[in-house]
Amino acid sequence: MGEEWINVCGKKSEIIERLQEVGLNQQGSEKLLSLLTKEKNIICEDETYQMEPYKEKSDGNMLGLMLMEYNYFINVRVGTVFLLSVLIDNSIGLPITSGYLAVRGMNRLVEKIDENTGVKCILLEILRSPNKSGKVNILSDFFGECCNNNLKCCFQNENRCMCTIDKVESIMEQLTDIGILKKDGEIYRYETLGIM
């Protein structure tokens, strides 16, 4: 599919090695695999992430004791890996930002997807939705509870979310201005980074 896609299958160590080739470090690669495992629908419909148990032949000495290993299959855009890496850790230093991503201006997105201002939270919720889209009331289903307690956000107050609809709209407009979301009426939809 070309250099704009990462297509690899194998054991965890092989996947991590391939992710390191495109610029992630060991820790970032493991965090990315963990995110993809927990959030299976976070990638686009035409992208694939699968994890299947790997069975090795036993030599008979283990007496039934087996450690579970997995085979992974990943077929995702480089832009998706970049975006998810930013969502995991804004301090990433991806070499691909100076090549593939710089050509498309994506390296400027790192500073725009900020955890503290709520941008990362809103983008995560849009990516979690089945259609990768949402309206300005995207947080209302949580009834004031913080939906991303692991993030350090200025709207978080003792596990409560103080982000208003006006603030959500402002964040969605910001994400639209930098080309991550596309506005269609009242709906903000994720614009796939790999086709920029």
Side-chain angles (χ1 to χ4, degrees):
M1 292 195 162
E3 62 187 7
E4 295 182 3
W5 286 79
I6 296 172
N7 185 339
V8 63
C9 69
K11 292 183 182 178
K12 185 176 183 177
S13 59
E14 295 170 295
I15 302 301
I16 288 173
E17 185 177 308
R18 177 66 178 111
L19 292 172
Q20 287 176 316
E21 287 174 13
V22 297
L24 288 174
N25 60 24
Q26 173 91 22
Q27 184 181 15
S29 299
E30 289 181 6
K31 283 182 178 180
L32 181 63
L33 284 179
S34 176
L35 178 68
L36 288 171
T37 301
K38 285 192 294 191
E39 305 277 355
K40 296 193 186 311
N41 68 334
I42 207 163
I43 57 176
C44 295
E45 288 180 11
D46 60 344
E47 296 174 313
T48 309
Y49 172 80
Q50 291 177 331
M51 189 176 100
E52 297 174 354
Y54 174 78
K55 296 176 182 160
E56 285 190 50
K57 292 182 181 176
S58 175
D59 62 3
N61 294 331
M62 301 263 313
L63 299 175
L65 177 64
M66 289 185 61
L67 295 175
M68 187 63 76
E69 286 196 39
Y70 295 92
N71 264 337
Y72 295 82
F73 176 73
I74 298 176
N75 185 31
V76 295
R77 290 177 181 84
V78 172
T80 299
V81 170
F82 168 74
L83 180 62
L84 295 178
S85 299
V86 172
L87 290 174
I88 292 166
D89 182 4
N90 269 37
S91 64
I92 57 166
L94 291 174
I96 53 175
T97 46
S98 61
Y100 168 80
L101 297 172
V103 169
R104 287 152 180 81
M106 286 190 228
N107 55 346
R108 66 188 164 88
L109 301 182
V110 174
E111 59 201 43
K112 304 269 185 182
I113 302 174
D114 183 35
E115 184 172 326
N116 187 52
T117 59
V119 175
K120 194 178 280 193
C121 176
I122 298 300
L123 186 53
L124 267 171
E125 290 312 303
I126 286 174
L127 291 173
R128 284 178 177 137
S129 71
N131 297 322
K132 308 284 180 273
S133 62
K135 295 182 178 181
V136 294
N137 65 348
I138 196 166
L139 300 179
S140 63
D141 289 344
F142 300 102
F143 303 103
E145 292 291 321
C146 180
C147 56
N148 289 298
N149 286 320
N150 59 314
L151 300 179
K152 303 208 179 350
C153 173
C154 67
F155 300 111
Q156 188 184 77
N157 184 8
E158 297 179 9
N159 294 328
R160 303 288 300 161
C161 178
M162 303 301 182
C163 192
T164 65
I165 285 181
D166 288 341
K167 292 289 185 185
V168 171
E169 184 176 20
S170 174
I171 290 168
M172 288 181 166
E173 286 293 331
Q174 177 187 342
L175 289 168
T176 302
D177 290 345
I178 59 177
I180 294 178
L181 298 182
K182 182 178 183 181
K183 188 174 182 183
D184 184 15
E186 293 182 358
I187 298 172
Y188 292 84
R189 192 173 316 282
Y190 169 62
E191 184 78 353
T192 310
L193 291 174
I195 59 175
M196 289 176 84

